Amino acid sequence: LFLLILQFNLAGTPAPSSIQAVVTTANPILFVTQFPIRADFTTIGAVFGNHQSGMYDVGRGGDLWIRFGDGTLKNLTQAAGYGSTGVNGFQDHNAIAVRDPSIYWDGTKALFSMVIGAPEQQYMWETYYWQIYEVTGLGNNQTPVITKVPNQPANFNNISPIYGTDDRIIFTTDRPRNGAAHLYPQLDEYEEAPTVSGLWSLDPATGNLFMMNHAP
């Protein structure tokens, strides 16, 4: 993340002290970086159908970051041991993409979605899924720990997680309403493109899962 603050004089040109080295904020900022995908139809940057996890849908190489109030940055996924460290940035089976960070009420942890893996060679076809993870250890002097949320739908794309007021996790997923394989993928009514099935609620401790609304 690069922040440049430019101060312009009356003539419209940058003032001599226009570039500020550090911009402080009252609170830390949690954010993700993503590899850009040029296509915008049912890809990661699209308004609809952006839940898919294939190589044509979302590039690998992004991370979960935190920017502290004093302007310092920490790559949380890298510090927790996630992501590819291949030669010249090659994205291998350890490659990741991340999205949708959401902070817990007291600021001590956060949810986000992550997909892990990329083909090792050309013409290799593999199936990947967005899954929900939780990160703790967000302090400047702490080592972040990332754990996969238990009891979530395993072979579906689970995205946009948030904490409920009762500590359940609310999220969207492309799991069909009853999990039946012959109903997968759910298709939207306009383009007949893959879509999420609606809002779901999960108790990670017990595995209790239910659909809040069916909205393909």
Side-chain angles (χ1 to χ4, degrees):
L1 176 68
F2 297 95
L3 297 178
L4 289 180
I5 293 185
L6 298 182
Q7 298 174 337
F8 291 87
N9 61 21
L10 295 178
T13 56
S17 60
S18 60
I19 299 179
Q20 306 297 318
V22 176
V23 178
T24 60
T25 58
N27 299 292
I29 300 172
L30 195 67
F31 67 98
V32 301
T33 54
Q34 291 179 347
F35 185 87
I37 297 294
R38 182 177 180 183
D40 64 356
F41 181 73
T42 65
T43 59
I44 185 65
V47 176
F48 302 107
N50 59 34
H51 65 285
Q52 300 181 90
S53 51
M55 298 303 298
Y56 290 100
D57 307 305
V58 54
R60 305 300 193 259
D63 285 287
L64 178 68
W65 290 78
I66 189 168
R67 181 189 187 275
F68 297 102
D70 62 0
T72 59
L73 294 167
K74 180 186 288 188
N75 186 329
L76 295 172
T77 39
Q78 185 181 75
Y82 286 85
S84 177
T85 57
V87 178
N88 297 324
F90 179 74
Q91 300 299 299
D92 55 15
H93 63 280
N94 293 317
I96 63 172
V98 292
R99 61 182 294 167
D100 308 329
S102 180
I103 292 285
Y104 189 66
W105 310 100
D106 63 3
T108 61
K109 58 185 179 179
L111 295 170
F112 67 101
S113 290
M114 178 165 61
V115 57
I116 301 176
E120 293 281 354
Q121 59 188 17
Q122 193 176 16
Y123 306 123
M124 179 183 291
W125 182 265
E126 296 179 340
T127 302
Y128 309 97
Y129 296 103
W130 288 104
Q131 294 282 279
I132 301 172
Y133 292 80
E134 187 173 60
V135 57
T136 57
L138 299 176
N140 205 343
N141 297 318
Q142 292 179 301
T143 300
V145 176
I146 293 175
T147 55
K148 189 175 181 179
V149 170
N151 295 316
Q152 63 181 296
N155 295 321
F156 300 101
N157 292 295
N158 308 322
I159 61 170
S160 305
I162 62 172
Y163 292 102
T165 54
D166 55 359
D167 282 349
R168 294 179 69 95
I169 294 175
I170 301 169
F171 64 103
T172 62
T173 177
D174 61 358
R175 180 187 190 272
R177 61 184 184 274
N178 60 1
H182 70 277
L183 295 179
Y184 187 83
Q186 298 278 273
L187 303 178
D188 72 52
E189 53 82 26
Y190 182 62
E191 296 283 356
E192 295 187 359
T195 184
V196 294
S197 57
L199 279 176
W200 293 70
S201 177
L202 169 69
D203 182 343
T206 65
N208 178 262
L209 174 73
F210 66 87
M211 176 181 277
M212 300 176 69
N213 74 316
H214 187 216

